[in-house]
Amino acid sequence: MIAFLLAAAALALLAPAYAADGPRADLSYRLALIDGPAGYEGLAVTLAFRGEDDGETMLELPDEWAGRDALWRSIDALTVNGADIAPGETPALRRLRHAPGADVTVRYRVVDGLGGPPTAGTGGNPYRPIVQPDYVHLIGNTFIVRPQWDEGATRASVDIVQPSRVGHRVASDLEHGDPTLTLGAVIESVFVGGDFRITTAAIDGAPARIAIRGDWDFDDAEFVEKAAAAMRANHAYWEDPGEPFLVTVLPLAAAENSSSVGGTGRTDAFAFFASRNADDFRIRRTLGHEHAHTWTPRRLGRMPQGGDEALDYWFSEGFTEFLTVRTAARAGIWSLAEAVGDLNEIMGLYAENPARRAPNARIGDAFWTDQDVGRLPYQRGALLAFYWDRKLNAETGGRVDLDDVFRALKADYADAERAEGETAAQAFLRVAEAVAGVDLRDDFERYIVDGAPVLLPADTFTACGTVTTRTGPMFDYGFTFTSNEADEIVIQTVAPGSNAERAGVRAGMVYLERLEGEPGDPSKDYLVRFRDGTQERLLRWRPAGRAVTAQTLELRQDVDAGACLASIGGLHAGAEAP
């Protein structure tokens, strides 16, 4: 009897609170780590809600997100009280039948979906649920089961149970105490628990938590300052105060000759992944990019629904690339060499991208399956943003640039009801014309829809120097490579008809030493010592591939570093219209 009363009390605590005149569709979640004899075994989730009045509620399991499919495989031991459960039309759906308006409780476990510790590889960030003996790392999109209700209008509450292991903690942006928490915000969350070290810092007047696990080449305080610098730069750009924020930091195992840095932005958090040997600048850059997603696109408008989201990645990812450079240059947290080097890398990678001329429809189809296509909206969107920034500034006599459009777009989304179905990208074109009197729709059709190459005018960064344009062969090894167990570089594939193939480079050879040539320079021969079976060979070839039109920002000899950074940061001098 006592056990029954305790169970009933627990369910009562989970029961949704309904306002007499408020929306009916409230949800309550309870999250608790499952700690077994060999370590953490998963996450126990209890979901309580009142079923629909017609006696049937569709329950949705995680399915596809960020290029991962069948995410429902990590949902285990799902049971329902207060309703009968039957399969839905897909493996990610369940049909619940119950008394009209009945109280329903769903329980399930989230189990590991990665198959081992996360590693740096070609598969991208480790987005599937990670359950390891000492920690758990979960992205909301990959583990939240929910009724098929409006994510923006459905209210939710979340109760998180701290782990019992000494020194272990849980951290989630669901702990920020938002009284207007929605189902969408629960899905748009990150949850970590276990042996994470959690530091709280006041950044622009609000608490920011940094949850780090593992050993790094920096200490926790250094990482916190890197994150704080990126956050301050973004707050200053958007003229917004600080707000509660969470950064989770997860190490990835990587081979000695490779490294990885990545992340995924949430509404008030982001998950950061990196190998221990990650470059300091890449870490700082990624922190700026992911924190910028707090605004782009979330506070500027919505993305296309369903499978069409990648069609607007030129906006959500490309414009975020632009803002990453702009905010860091303006705040002075990147050096001149870092800012110019990053710009030139974007232009160089864009020039060399074999998918450079792909229409936007191709990005919609192949973003997650073709690596070159997947990189394109980042590159194309960033360069188009710089192009449009200069164009608006020039055509309005210095009165308007993209800063003005972005801030107007944020205000438009916060204060006005958007036309039904209008995305952030569509609203951007409308607001740009309203603010600057410049119609960018023809440019949009040319550069985004059709895929014409984006080339910056020579005087885009007037205080720095000249954007030069050259057409010539791109640097191309002529082969791909990997590493073996001895951490040697092994030729993996050789491009048919390439200079490397003609010189005798073959798959399986071990790359021992470069004696001549410079990486990135297609005008000089490469002379390389290889091991071919049991013998060594010296091979010479010119690492020149197909012709590309590439741009580079070349600094003038007497450049003023502060003025140049201000120019990259959008503090313009006058420019003529392109």
Side-chain angles (χ1 to χ4, degrees), residues 49 85 103 132 161 203 317 356 372 404 410 447 454 467 475 569 574:
F49 59 90
I85 184 171
D103 287 335
Q132 293 294 302
V161 179
I203 299 176
E317 294 295 351
R356 176 181 181 179
D372 294 321
D404 303 290
K410 185 178 74 160
Y447 297 118
V454 181
V467 177
F475 180 84

Side-chain angles (χ1 to χ4, degrees), residues 224-410:
V224 170
E225 185 47 44
K226 296 179 202 294
M231 292 181 192
R232 293 187 192 105
N234 285 323
H235 293 155
Y237 177 84
W238 291 100
E239 299 177 349
D240 278 345
E243 57 192 327
F245 205 84
L246 171 69
V247 180
T248 63
V249 183
L250 189 68
L252 307 179
E256 185 176 342
N257 62 347
S258 67
S259 66
S260 178
V261 181
T264 184
R266 312 276 79 193
T267 303
D268 53 357
F270 64 81
F272 177 87
F273 312 95
S275 55
R276 178 175 174 176
N277 59 356
D279 176 73
D280 174 70
F281 175 71
R282 292 293 169 200
I283 291 174
R284 291 186 286 118
R285 190 190 194 284
T286 303
L287 289 171
H289 177 101
E290 297 304 336
H291 186 248
H293 275 310
T294 302
W295 292 270
T296 52
R298 291 171 176 84
R299 294 180 182 174
L300 305 183
R302 69 168 187 83
M303 294 291 286
Q305 301 300 301
D308 291 335
E309 185 175 275
L311 292 173
D312 278 6
Y313 282 170
W314 65 271
F315 180 91
S316 62
E317 294 295 351
F319 277 18
T320 300
E321 287 284 270
F322 163 80
L323 287 166
T324 300
V325 180
R326 166 155 285 190
T327 55
R330 183 176 294 189
I333 60 174
W334 288 4
S335 69
L336 179 61
E338 288 171 337
V340 174
D342 196 72
L343 272 172
N344 284 336
E345 182 176 57
I346 292 172
M347 290 189 283
L349 292 175
Y350 174 65
E352 296 175 2
N353 191 333
R356 176 181 181 179
R357 292 179 177 268
N360 204 41
R362 173 68 178 154
I363 295 174
D365 292 337
F367 179 86
W368 295 109
T369 58
D370 186 312
Q371 194 172 63
D372 294 321
V373 172
R375 295 188 181 109
L376 184 58
Y378 291 77
Q379 300 159 358
R380 178 184 284 169
L383 293 177
L384 186 58
F386 279 112
Y387 178 86
W388 275 344
D389 180 66
R390 181 197 175 279
K391 180 173 184 175
L392 294 178
N393 183 257
E395 294 196 6
T396 61
R399 182 177 58 85
V400 173
D401 64 7
L402 276 192
D403 297 348
D404 303 290
V405 177
F406 285 149
R407 293 185 185 117
L409 187 61
K410 185 178 74 160

Side-chain angles (χ1 to χ4, degrees), residues 513-517 525-529 538-541:
E513 182 183 13
R514 172 171 50 86
L515 301 174
E516 295 179 16
D525 280 358
Y526 250 46
L527 179 63
V528 175
R529 186 165 60 91
L538 282 176
L539 299 180
R540 179 185 294 274
W541 76 98

